[in-house]
Amino acid sequence: MKGKFYPYPGATNLTAYAHLNDCTDPDQRLERLMWGRVPIAGKLVLDVGAGSGFHAVRYAQKANHVFAAEPDPRMLQQIYARLCNNPLGNISILAASAESIPLPDNFIDIAHARFAYFFGTEDCLPGLHEVRRILKPGAHFFIIDVNPDRGLFGKTARAVYPHVFHEKYHQEHTLFYREQGFSHVNVDTVFRAPDREVLAEVFRMEYQDKAPEILKQIQGTELSYSLFVYHWQKGNNGSAQVE
Ligand SMILES: C[S@@+](CC[C@H](N)C(=O)[O-])C[C@H]1O[C@@H](n2cnc3c(N)ncnc32)[C@H](O)[C@@H]1O
């Protein structure tokens, strides 16, 4: 595969990963924001780092066609299994990383990358350029990332991975994306588990042996969760268009 591969534990923890997606932003505030800016109905959509295909299948209910690009064969298996249970025929699976996507230039209306650790800062430039290549003039690119400065879920991530979600994470990322022509907004949403066992299962996948300690500090089953949505629009002449 071309580019850097960042494995995610959801590849081998199928149930916990499914719970994570069900419990994250259950009121779909992120989608309301994105599709408020650009309606998804009838569009050609690319989901980069599509994981198990949870969002690709959701988006295909409204979009014209969704391309789900994912490099991990264990995730690809999950996408195929999901599609077998889904009557929609407008999803194509691409075994591909962000840095090399087998789609033509100027083709896609909306690109989406959610919890895309491969879209960090400098390292991710080849992936950013590749996605921009594929976007039509006037098309939109959304990247969703955690805000570790705000909301309880992000704070647990910082407590367990202080070297990743360090004190300057927010500042560095927003500066990098601003330099790349993206605007950003913070979306305050929630992680809502149906019960403590589901919450514990998700934490065990995300935080391994640190999970019990983190769980003890959390009351109930709902955590505030703040996320950044970075947004870029390709200019009608193919250049970046900053809002
Ligand atoms: C945290 S998961 C998020 C998956 C999905 N977007 C979701 O919200 O459920 C990150 C995904 O990116 C994939 N990935 C890792 N390196 C990648 C790369 N270089 N290009 C594209 N995807 C990559 C992983 O295999 C994993 O499926």
Side-chain angles (χ1 to χ4, degrees):
M1 127 182 189
K2 197 172 164 195
K4 214 166 169 180
F5 171 58
Y6 297 83
Y8 177 65
T12 50
N13 294 271
L14 278 60
T15 310
Y17 181 30
H19 286 319
L20 174 77
N21 269 324
D22 287 337
C23 300
T24 300
D25 189 31
D27 306 321
Q28 282 122 39
R29 291 186 185 185
L30 295 164
E31 283 167 52
R32 271 191 268 146
L33 176 99
M34 294 187 290
W35 313 152
R37 289 187 178 194
V38 48
I40 190 173
K43 298 291 193 322
L44 293 182
V45 175
L46 167 67
D47 189 14
V48 191
S52 65
F54 178 90
H55 300 103
V57 166
R58 280 183 59 79
Y59 299 166
Q61 283 157 19
K62 292 192 180 147
N64 172 354
H65 200 97
V66 177
F67 296 86
E70 170 57 52
D72 188 333
R74 302 163 303 173
M75 288 296 197
L76 290 167
Q77 276 186 14
Q78 292 187 52
I79 307 183
Y80 281 117
R82 189 184 292 279
L83 287 189
C84 288
N85 298 322
N86 196 297
L88 294 167
N90 60 339
I91 301 182
S92 301
I93 304 170
L94 308 174
S97 63
E99 298 77 12
S100 179
I101 301 175
L103 289 175
D105 295 356
N106 304 322
F107 182 69
I108 287 288
D109 298 302
I110 302 174
H112 164 273
R114 188 181 287 233
F115 302 130
Y117 303 139
F118 50 95
F119 282 142
T121 48
E122 296 302 322
D123 271 4
C124 74
L125 281 173
L128 283 185
H129 294 323
E130 178 66 344
V131 175
R132 287 167 161 169
R133 173 186 73 74
I134 291 161
L135 291 177
K136 285 176 185 164
H140 297 257
F141 186 6
F142 296 100
I143 297 177
I144 297 171
D145 193 18
V146 65
N147 178 356
D149 289 345
R150 200 175 151 97
L152 193 49
F153 203 104
K155 287 182 182 159
T156 65
R158 171 169 284 159
V160 177
Y161 301 112
H163 53 293
V164 178
F165 300 108
H166 51 79
E167 295 297 326
K168 294 207 165 144
Y169 183 91
H170 166 185
Q171 203 184 325
E172 280 178 8
H173 280 236
T174 50
L175 177 64
F176 172 78
Y177 281 109
R178 199 176 315 131
E179 284 171 357
Q180 290 301 315
F182 285 75
S183 64
H184 77 277
V185 285
N186 181 85
V187 175
D188 288 326
T189 181
V190 295
F191 179 92
R192 186 183 300 141
D195 55 49
R196 292 283 291 185
E197 186 38 43
V198 166
L199 182 63
E201 201 168 355
V202 170
F203 275 18
R204 281 195 292 272
M205 173 181 75
E206 294 282 324
Y207 303 146
Q208 296 89 43
D209 54 346
K210 296 264 175 62
E213 182 193 322
I214 296 287
L215 204 59
K216 269 194 235 148
Q217 297 165 27
I218 308 286
Q219 306 282 315
T221 55
E222 184 168 311
L223 285 77
S224 55
Y225 199 179
S226 289
L227 298 162
F228 283 124
V229 178
Y230 296 98
H231 179 199
W232 182 83
Q233 186 176 9
K234 192 163 178 175
N236 282 320
N237 59 3
S239 64
Q241 187 168 302
V242 186
E243 287 155 58

